[in-house]
């Protein structure tokens, strides 16, 4: 085998490696063009009696969440051969607010208002503008301690010789179930009294099976939607706990404190 043949063989083997390689940056460019929406579905029992207590929700000023979604390539495998080429890459994604249609703080505020004004004995009012309230009023302070939602995309692509010298490409992209780690602290007060001071946390993991897609953009969009759904469900889990505790505390307060 002469030197020219060696060079040709090297090019044939190495070409797929340099042409098909996906980088974290190229994946991120696709993600940055996408947006997904958080959602809150009310399923708690409706409080049937009159809500005769008012609670003022202070401005939630810190979400402890990255603004930009990040993409990191964790693993990669390449098998460039003459008759069979294989490429496999695993990317880890971390959800940022830039990929959402609204700030997480705004979503959490809406979720608390929706839940508490439906299933508790209080009327929750958004006081984000810091208006003057009565000294005897109940106040709710909310702090987001942790907000991390991650997803994984595995890109698999192989090619084999087909009819008349054409190459048959087999694409098998998968997205793995997303996971959210969320911690929220609340403080319910009246005058100088602290009625409730508690931190709620959850590690929410989707239970759906891995999904398959024929192209990377579809996998990216589906992974982003899965992450926002996961964060929505984690938020719902905590908000329902918060509303139940607020309802219990206020329902036990003496009438003279209302």
């Amino acid at each position: 085998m002469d030197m020219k043949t060696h060079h040709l063989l090297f090019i044939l083997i190495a070409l797929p490696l340099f042409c098909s390689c996906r980088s974290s940056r190229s994946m991120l460019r696709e993600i940055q063009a996408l947006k997904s929406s958080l959602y809150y579905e009310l399923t708690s029992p409706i409080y049937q009696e009159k809500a005769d207590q008012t609670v003022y929700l202070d401005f939630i000023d810190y979400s402890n969440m990255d603004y930009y979604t990040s993409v990191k390539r964790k693993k990669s495998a390449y098998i460039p051969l003459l008759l069979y080429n294989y490429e496999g890459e695993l990317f880890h994604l971390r959800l940022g607010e830039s990929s959402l249609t609204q700030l997480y703080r705004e979503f959490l505020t809406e979720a608390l208002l929706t839940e508490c004004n439906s299933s508790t004995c209080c009327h929750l009012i958004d006081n984000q503008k810091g208006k003057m309230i009565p000294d005897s009023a109940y106040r709710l302070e909310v702090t987001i301690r942790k907000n991390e939602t991650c997803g994984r995309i595995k890109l698999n692509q192989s090619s084999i010789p087909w009819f008349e010298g054409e190459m048959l490409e087999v694409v098998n992209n998968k997205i793995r179930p997303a996971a959210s780690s969320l911690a929220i602290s609340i403080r319910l007060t009246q005058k100088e009294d602290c009625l409730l001071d508690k931190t709620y946390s959850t590690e929410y993991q989707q239970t759906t099976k891995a999904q398959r897609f024929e192209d990377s953009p579809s996998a990216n969009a589906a992974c982003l939607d899965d992450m926002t759904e996961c964060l929505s469900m984690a938020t719902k889990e905590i908000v329902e706990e918060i509303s139940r505790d607020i309802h219990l505390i206020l329902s036990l307060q003496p009438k003279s404190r209302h």
Side-chain angles (χ1 to χ4, degrees), residues 36-43 65 95 100-104 107-108 111-112 115 147-150 178-182 184 202 204-206 224-240:
S36 188
S37 298
L38 298 164
Y39 68 92
Y40 193 86
E41 182 180 356
L42 187 64
T43 57
M65 181 178 185
L95 182 65
L100 304 177
T101 56
Q102 67 177 143
L103 296 177
Y104 180 75
F107 170 72
L108 178 59
L112 286 167
E115 186 67 41
N147 191 341
E148 296 179 4
T149 300
C150 300
S180 284
S181 181
L182 185 61
I184 297 175
T202 184
Y204 190 87
Q205 173 78 50
Q206 284 185 324
L224 180 59
D225 288 342
D226 272 11
M227 288 193 293
T228 54
E229 179 182 0
C230 190
L231 180 55
S232 296
M233 296 305 296
T235 303
K236 177 178 174 61
E237 187 176 294
I238 287 182
V239 167
E240 287 179 338

Side-chain angles (χ1 to χ4, degrees), residues 41-61:
E41 182 180 356
L42 187 64
T43 57
S44 303
I46 304 298
Y47 182 68
Q48 300 295 335
E49 300 181 24
K50 181 181 178 182
D52 55 357
Q53 294 152 308
T54 299
V55 178
Y56 292 87
L57 173 63
D58 288 344
F59 178 77
I60 305 174
D61 62 351

Side-chain angles (χ1 to χ4, degrees), residues 24-25 27-28 31 69-73 91-94:
S24 300
R25 186 172 298 179
M27 176 81 77
L28 183 59
I31 294 289
T69 295
S70 61
V71 179
K72 293 183 179 180
R73 186 168 61 182
F91 293 88
H92 284 197
L93 284 72
R94 181 166 171 170

Side-chain angles (χ1 to χ4, degrees), residues 139-143 145 184-189 193-200 245-246 249:
R139 303 186 63 158
L140 180 62
E141 301 172 36
V142 179
T143 304
R145 302 294 182 185
I184 297 175
S185 296
I186 71 163
R187 193 167 184 267
L188 179 65
T189 59
D193 297 333
C194 179
L195 307 177
L196 179 62
D197 192 346
K198 185 176 179 180
T199 296
Y200 303 80
D245 285 350
I246 291 176
I249 293 295

Side-chain angles (χ1 to χ4, degrees), residues 53-228:
Q53 294 152 308
T54 299
V55 178
Y56 292 87
L57 173 63
D58 288 344
F59 178 77
I60 305 174
D61 62 351
Y62 183 55
S63 69
N64 203 15
M65 181 178 185
D66 294 335
Y67 181 73
Y68 294 105
T69 295
S70 61
V71 179
K72 293 183 179 180
R73 186 168 61 182
K74 290 295 184 178
K75 297 179 181 179
S76 60
Y78 305 97
I79 306 177
L81 301 173
L82 287 176
L83 299 180
Y84 175 81
N85 296 314
Y86 170 81
E87 175 188 353
E89 296 172 296
L90 177 63
F91 293 88
H92 284 197
L93 284 72
R94 181 166 171 170
L95 182 65
E97 284 189 320
S98 61
S99 295
L100 304 177
T101 56
Q102 67 177 143
L103 296 177
Y104 180 75
R105 173 186 55 78
E106 297 175 352
F107 170 72
L108 178 59
T109 299
E110 293 176 4
L112 286 167
L113 293 172
T114 299
E115 186 67 41
C116 290
N117 288 331
S118 173
S119 60
T120 69
C121 60
C122 76
H123 178 48
L124 187 64
I125 297 177
D126 183 10
N127 192 38
Q128 62 175 315
K129 295 183 179 180
K131 295 181 178 180
M132 295 294 295
I133 61 174
D135 292 338
S136 60
Y138 295 102
R139 303 186 63 158
L140 180 62
E141 301 172 36
V142 179
T143 304
I144 303 168
R145 302 294 182 185
K146 186 178 183 180
N147 191 341
E148 296 179 4
T149 300
C150 300
R152 293 180 295 170
I153 299 178
K154 187 174 183 181
L155 302 180
N156 292 321
Q157 183 172 330
S158 58
S159 57
I160 58 176
W162 201 239
F163 294 107
E164 297 180 356
E166 294 184 0
M167 297 294 287
L168 174 64
E169 291 189 352
V170 180
V171 179
N172 183 19
N173 298 325
K174 298 180 181 178
I175 64 171
R176 306 291 177 82
S180 284
S181 181
L182 185 61
I184 297 175
S185 296
I186 71 163
R187 193 167 184 267
L188 179 65
T189 59
Q190 185 190 42
K191 293 185 178 180
E192 301 299 324
D193 297 333
C194 179
L195 307 177
L196 179 62
D197 192 346
K198 185 176 179 180
T199 296
Y200 303 80
S201 60
T202 184
E203 300 286 337
Y204 190 87
Q205 173 78 50
Q206 284 185 324
T207 57
T208 56
K209 295 182 179 179
Q211 304 177 56
R212 301 173 185 270
F213 299 87
E214 294 184 356
D215 57 78
S216 175
S218 297
N220 293 340
C223 185
L224 180 59
D225 288 342
D226 272 11
M227 288 193 293
T228 54

